[in-house]
Amino acid sequence: MSDVFAVGVGQTEVGEHWDRSLRQLGAAAARAALADAGTDEVDALYVGNMLAGDLSGQHHLGPLIAEHAGLLGVEAIAVEAACGSGGAAFRTAYTAVASGLVGSALVVGVEKMTDRPGKEVTQGLATAADADFESQIGLSFVAINALLMRRYLHEHRLTRDDFAPFIVNAHANAVHNPNAMFRFPVTAAELARQPMVADPISVLDSSPVCDGAAAVLLCSAERARGLGGRAARVRACTVGTDTIALHDRRDPLELSAAVRSSRRAFEVAGVAPADIDLFEVHDAFSIMTVLALEAAGFAERGRAVALGASGAIARGGQLPLSTMGGLKARGHPVGATGVYQIVEVVLQLRGEAGENQVADAALGMAQNIGGSGATVVTTVLEAVR
Amino acid sequence: MSDVFAVGVGQTEVGEHWDRSLRQLGAAAARAALADAGTDEVDALYVGNMLAGDLSGQHHLGPLIAEHAGLLGVEAIAVEAACGSGGAAFRTAYTAVASGLVGSALVVGVEKMTDRPGKEVTQGLATAADADFESQIGLSFVAINALLMRRYLHEHRLTRDDFAPFIVNAHANAVHNPNAMFRFPVTAAELARQPMVADPISVLDSSPVCDGAAAVLLCSAERARGLGGRAARVRACTVGTDTIALHDRRDPLELSAAVRSSRRAFEVAGVAPADIDLFEVHDAFSIMTVLALEAAGFAERGRAVALGASGAIARGGQLPLSTMGGLKARGHPVGATGVYQIVEVVLQLRGEAGENQVADAALGMAQNIGGSGATVVTTVLEAVR
């Protein structure tokens, strides 16, 4: 296989886009990534999306986004792995470029959760869970995460206040991200007063329902050379899976797909957790942040909250998390999220993260999770200097 | 890139499976393909599916099918391209094996259209069309095909009776396929009496609503050698796209994505249309058969019906079509269809097609179409002797 480089990134603002449709959002991110790379040469397009069929009555996003991005006729395929769809689309594009069958591949993650003619969003998100054994009995997606969080609090004798540092950090970082949905800080005291969605998950524990699109252009070493600078090298991109239903897991507090995917990513990249300069973690709910940190080996079991409290997760810390606001505060347009994470890692590695720049960022990691851990995609990127 | 081989195939019967769920169908086909290959070694799983979110409230089929096929933990991703989802999943698996990043990849196409708690099937199928400009104004999927067929009849001064040979041929072949849904012959006289669904498309012009799953195990040359015989070599697998909406096409009677995909497939495989020994065509409606034959260069424009009338499309003819019944009579469980087509080509190339065996089949082609031609996946396979 050949080396693969991220040579262009693009994104739309995350938010409620009442004036922009699914195809317009996807096309805007695609065009931004191509403009950033300074090329129109695209051999294949992979679209990450979860809910367009459910919420917008629109499948078949490959050709739809291709046409509207000005890439009519190009190979174009949609990829789905629930909230891990963006990461899965990135993995698919990475594989395609590595094969040499395509010289460049554009990844677009897009989701439109407002202004929908179809299902309710809660009903749509529940399709990430097991339809026959979870959602059919009324277990919503936030309820599944609440079960996990309650178990974690019980097992490690913690309170929900112990999760506050992750949320405070994400909001603090979003303040300086012009594409973030929640550009305001929150304090631990404010968090303690939030109304519950599914106890112990409160409103501000949850990532928002929103719209957005992000894109990354990948290409081979040969093509990357032709494009001049500002590339990041993909050191690893790996996928692990687990059962969808929580009750089928031996230990619900171990995200075994994340263990598998992270270990394999470190192995392929030839690096250790301590080498990672920043981590775009899948903080859809803070329980996911905590479980992901432990699964990847950044913290011992039950100790991730201590990492949060230590200050290590802030910009100047040992492992900056959610550096542009994360799912929590940048927002979580579900099928687009995995691509936003990678866009943000690339910006960090290029030194273009503005006020949120992590000094000397050389190695960044993004991890995108589908469902409550049934799909985990881990990507490690390296600065090219 | 390395050569890629299809080393195992599996399928369930196509029909109304009131006693088997989505996951059970997918797992059954997966297990059958692994048993056929004589291995359990799978590095990645790609699932082709269109409607599980809409009809069954279930997304996230990668890990779901992985778990139920006994492949817990494996890399697993779902791929969607409307009715071309199966072919797109095959293309994705092919790319993955070609990259060397995975040594073997299992493709499973699965669709469950009966016994659904969700949307009506007609509403689900309409998500293949343009939601904002076609389905939202009430254009169903069969109506879109009826518009195309009416235009074709007008332009070439034909009648719907001229399409009969394709349907008669498909049904004749399905009689001997134990996995086909419609194992009965039809005559041109019977076809002329059928009630209309969307004039000029009658009930028997249409492929049926049904359930089914099919699977193919792909692997590298190295792994294929370890598995002994009965492999087929993938000579080409290409994807072309077009606008989703018919009104955006310069010429609605030219399937430009099929032109692109077919030409490229012939070029990559280094063969010409005349070299193809059998063609599994996307005969969801007979107008699609006709347009696909012309787009691939098997017939001049307006002359595909003459090819049908000539007898060339029968088993002993120059270009046997739909040799196991096609979408028309084997059935069209939409997201699974592209994989069924490839399974059937492989069986032909291995000389295992029973009563429907095409003598000395050395080179077979399958073409899977999403929507009314917005996605076209063309696969050319070669017998290994």
Side-chain angles (χ1 to χ4, degrees), chain A residues 365-378:
Chain A
M365 173 160 143
Q367 189 173 74
N368 189 201
I369 300 185
S372 50
T375 298
V376 179
V377 188
T378 308

Side-chain angles (χ1 to χ4, degrees), chain A residues 1-2 21 23 44 46 50-51 53-54 56-64 66-68 71-83 88-89 91-92 94-102 117 119 123-124 126-133 135-136 238-245 248 260 264 370-375, chain B residues 1-2 21 23 44 46 50-51 53-54 56-64 66-68 71-84 88-89 91-92 94-102 117 119 124 126-133 135-136 238-245 248 260 264 370-375:
Chain A
M1 58 158 287
S2 35
S21 70
R23 67 188 73 190
Y46 297 91
M50 175 184 178
L51 294 172
D54 298 295
S56 306
Q58 182 70 70
H59 271 130
H60 217 171
L61 295 197
L64 188 78
E67 180 196 352
H68 290 272
L71 303 170
L72 184 65
V74 78
E75 170 170 2
I77 291 175
V79 168
E80 190 271 331
C83 308
R91 162 68 180 172
T92 309
Y94 169 69
T95 311
V97 175
S99 75
L101 288 167
V102 307
K119 280 183 192 172
Q123 212 185 347
T127 63
D130 189 312
D132 293 355
F133 297 99
S135 33
Q136 204 173 65
T238 61
V239 181
T241 61
D242 196 356
T243 69
I244 291 194
D248 285 330
R260 226 174 253 124
R264 179 86 183 123
S372 50
T375 298
Chain B
M1 60 157 289
S2 36
S21 70
R23 67 188 73 189
Y46 297 91
M50 175 183 177
L51 294 171
D54 298 294
S56 305
Q58 181 70 70
H59 271 130
H60 217 172
L61 294 197
L64 188 78
E67 179 196 354
H68 290 273
L71 302 170
L72 184 63
V74 79
E75 171 170 1
I77 292 175
V79 169
E80 191 271 330
C83 307
R91 162 69 180 171
T92 309
Y94 169 69
T95 310
V97 175
S99 75
L101 288 168
V102 307
K119 279 184 194 171
T127 63
D130 190 311
D132 294 354
F133 297 99
S135 32
Q136 204 173 66
T238 60
V239 181
T241 61
D242 195 356
T243 70
I244 291 194
D248 285 329
R260 229 175 248 121
R264 178 89 183 120
S372 50
T375 299

Side-chain angles (χ1 to χ4, degrees), chain B residues 94-117:
Chain B
Y94 169 69
T95 310
V97 175
S99 75
L101 288 168
V102 307
S104 63
L106 184 63
V107 191
V108 174
V110 59
E111 204 70 73
K112 176 79 184 158
M113 300 171 83
T114 64
D115 199 17
R116 61 191 188 279

Side-chain angles (χ1 to χ4, degrees), chain B residues 3 11 21 39 42 69 84 115 122 130 146 151 185 225 244 282 305 332 346:
Chain B
D3 267 358
Q11 59 184 313
S21 70
T39 183
V42 174
D115 199 17
T122 301
D130 190 311
R151 178 79 204 162
R225 271 193 295 276
I244 291 194
H282 192 92
V305 296
H332 182 25
V346 170

Side-chain angles (χ1 to χ4, degrees), chain A residues 25-35 45 65 69 71 106 108 214-215:
Chain A
L25 289 167
R31 296 306 312 167
L34 295 179
L45 168 69
I65 302 298
L71 303 170
L106 183 63
V108 175

